Amino acid sequence: MTRKLLFSGVLSVISCLGLQAQELYIPRDVQKAYENGTRSKDGNPGSNYWQNKGVYTIDLNVNPPDRKVTGKETIVYTNQSPDTLKVLNFKLFLNQHKPEAPRSGQTSADYLTSGIHIDAYRENGVAREWTDKNDGTNKPVQLAAPLLPGASITLDIDWHFDMSVQSGREGAIDETTFFLAYFFPRVAVYDDSRGWDTMTFRGSQEFYNDFNDYRFSVTVPANYIVWATGDLQNPDEVLQPSYAQRLERSMTSDEVVHIATKEDLENHKVTAQNATNTWIWKADAITDIAIALSDHYLWDAGSVIADPQTGRRVSVQAAYDEPSEDFREMVNYGKHAIAWFSNNYPGVPYPYSKSTIVRGFADMEYPMMVNDSSFPEAEFARFVVEHEIAHTYFPFYMGINETRFGFMDEGWATALEYLIGIHDLGPEKATENFKKFRVAAWANTTDMEYDLPVITPLNALNGVAIRANAYGKSALGYLAMKAYLGDTLFSKALKGYMDRWNGKHPMPWDFFYTFNDITGKDLNWFWDRWYFSNHYIDIAVTDAVYKKGTLTVTLQNLGGMPAPVTLVLTDKNGTSQAFAQTPAIWETDPDRAVITLKNVKDIENIRLDGGIFMDADTSNDSYSIK
């Protein structure tokens, strides 16, 4: 062997080893977490992992149609970090309604309010001044005495706000139907990589919350029903006996129980006939709470077994106005979604005691709650609620920072929506819908904003890049990995990731490294191209050689994404055969793949079919054999 050939061979070996040993970009704040031992590069929480916690006791008074809401809360906040905290940062999300608040887009006058007003603030029982004149969605407060590691502080806050007339993620659905979300002052997340979460809420990106314990009460006039995150603690006090019995029966019923009908509500039969009723709720180790109330919404409920091994049931409830015909099936839609997600993907039993689906306008998820619009097409109504219930796992079971890493929750909910869609509609219709709603805009648009790397913090983005990165592109990456690993190994890795990080705050690198660890594969070549690059999907057939029943096809990865693709071969009689290729074809060489197919006869044409992995340029997807 000549020296030149030897040198060339060494370079080839180094090149291959470099591809296999490729490192992911790790930003400096994440590197700090590895250095401090709070996270590990095998994907596990580090030996020094910690997170802070609050115990919230909240009392609300709501008196519709008056939109003023008053509240009192006590927060016992524990500093489990190694740092001494001299300042607490509070989240006041409702200040996003202030006229001067920064927003991602335009809004109407009906959306605007004066925000949230703090009437009293105390630290460990001692009154402190709180000036809310210039408060935004973040409020740093200097503590009278530093909060030491391992210590707790008791905070008492009185506040009030007006519900916005325009209903979105929260607000007045109608004059006597309110949806309350993000409605209470809370201590922001203080984490191991960035410290305080001080990101401004601008109305488009979503949230990042600690796992807290909640006890809360909602006082409303007679004949108002309250639905909320958590378990109702006093049904016999707020419901008349036969309706409390209906609610109890629904908890174990396979059939839909009509707890409150139109006639029941009009005749004031449902709630205890006091001037006001106080509904008391409890929810532990959860990232947020939401509340709905109405004097005329119908109330259906049933239950479904979420964990076949234990027989544990989940209550599924629906609250809706009479004209919303699609909601008459909403309990059944919710039961189906919970059963499918529990037993298929992600294959983790639904972790909470219930799910309540409220007819609103947001098409939005909350822990144990969904706020969905009404749709004339039953198929679409089911599709939307399935997506929102999928969010139970991401970001609520997993405490994801949605504001920065929306692809870690929206991407998974979108992937799960496709997988359950295959069951509901069949692969052809599910693929058609997924391409139309989740992929086509990215595939068919040359705007560079669509090609920004998925890992780009979502709070730094605006416009089309948010939706492309958080939903379609990231979901396709998860589904491509599923094709690469196969169902069994993919499911094992996904469940392992969820087992390691449920109840904690995973970051993207925790996910990537967990999959590497559990599968025993270095998947960085895939993660880098799909989540850290500005690549897209464009695969071309550049050559094909057919000899004695063996077809050798050369594919060029022009767009750079390691996507699956199917080779559709057509013979001289017009008969077609399909040969699915996983992303493994790009593992050795991410830019070029050579595929050999044996025992194929009389092939005249080759066509590429990406399915949901839509090709940006289809002009190079066909090749004729001459």
Side-chain angles (χ1 to χ4, degrees), residues 22-26 509 512-513 516 524-525 527-528 532:
Q22 181 174 354
E23 287 292 328
L24 297 178
Y25 156 72
I26 302 177
W509 294 266
F512 299 138
Y513 291 144
N516 290 2
N524 288 352
W525 65 273
W527 305 133
D528 183 70
F532 293 81

Side-chain angles (χ1 to χ4, degrees), residues 19-20 477 479-486 489 521-523 525-526 530 539 555 557 561-566 580-595 613:
L19 180 65
Q20 296 304 314
L479 294 168
M481 179 54 67
K482 178 176 178 290
Y484 172 73
L485 294 176
L489 188 54
K521 297 176 179 289
D522 184 350
L523 303 171
W525 65 273
F526 180 94
W530 205 283
I539 301 171
L555 303 180
N557 193 356
M561 283 292 201
V565 69
T566 295
Q581 309 297 311
T582 79
I585 62 175
W586 309 113
E587 186 168 4
T588 302
D589 184 343
D591 299 316
R592 181 176 177 272
V594 178
I595 300 163
F613 300 92

Side-chain angles (χ1 to χ4, degrees), residues 228-288:
T229 299
D231 297 316
L232 179 61
Q233 301 296 291
N234 62 336
D236 294 330
E237 295 178 11
V238 294
L239 294 170
Q240 296 193 38
S242 62
Y243 296 89
Q245 291 168 10
R246 290 184 192 181
L247 176 60
E248 180 66 23
R249 178 160 50 90
S250 75
M251 299 292 180
T252 56
S253 174
D254 290 321
E255 304 300 322
V256 177
V257 176
H258 301 293
I259 298 176
T261 66
K262 179 182 179 184
E263 180 184 7
D264 297 331
L265 293 162
E266 289 177 343
N267 290 314
H268 297 168
K269 294 180 178 180
V270 180
T271 69
Q273 290 303 292
N274 305 311
T276 61
N277 291 311
T278 298
W279 299 62
I280 301 173
W281 301 84
K282 175 183 176 181
D284 287 339
I286 203 159
T287 57
D288 205 356

Side-chain angles (χ1 to χ4, degrees), residues 92 95 98 118 130-139:
L92 305 171
N95 281 339
K98 286 183 171 183
I118 306 302
W130 182 305
T131 303
D132 62 18
K133 181 179 179 181
N134 296 314
D135 284 358
T137 57
N138 287 286
K139 174 73 172 185

Side-chain angles (χ1 to χ4, degrees), residues 367-396:
M368 302 192 216
M369 298 282 281
V370 172
N371 176 351
D372 269 0
S373 307
S374 177
F375 299 98
E377 307 88 1
E379 182 182 295
F380 195 76
R382 181 179 62 187
F383 159 82
V384 174
V385 78
E386 287 173 348
H387 178 96
E388 308 311 340
I389 289 176
H391 275 299
T392 296
Y393 299 98
F394 312 96
F396 302 135

Side-chain angles (χ1 to χ4, degrees), residues 129 187 213 322:
E129 183 180 9
V187 182
D213 296 341
E322 188 184 26

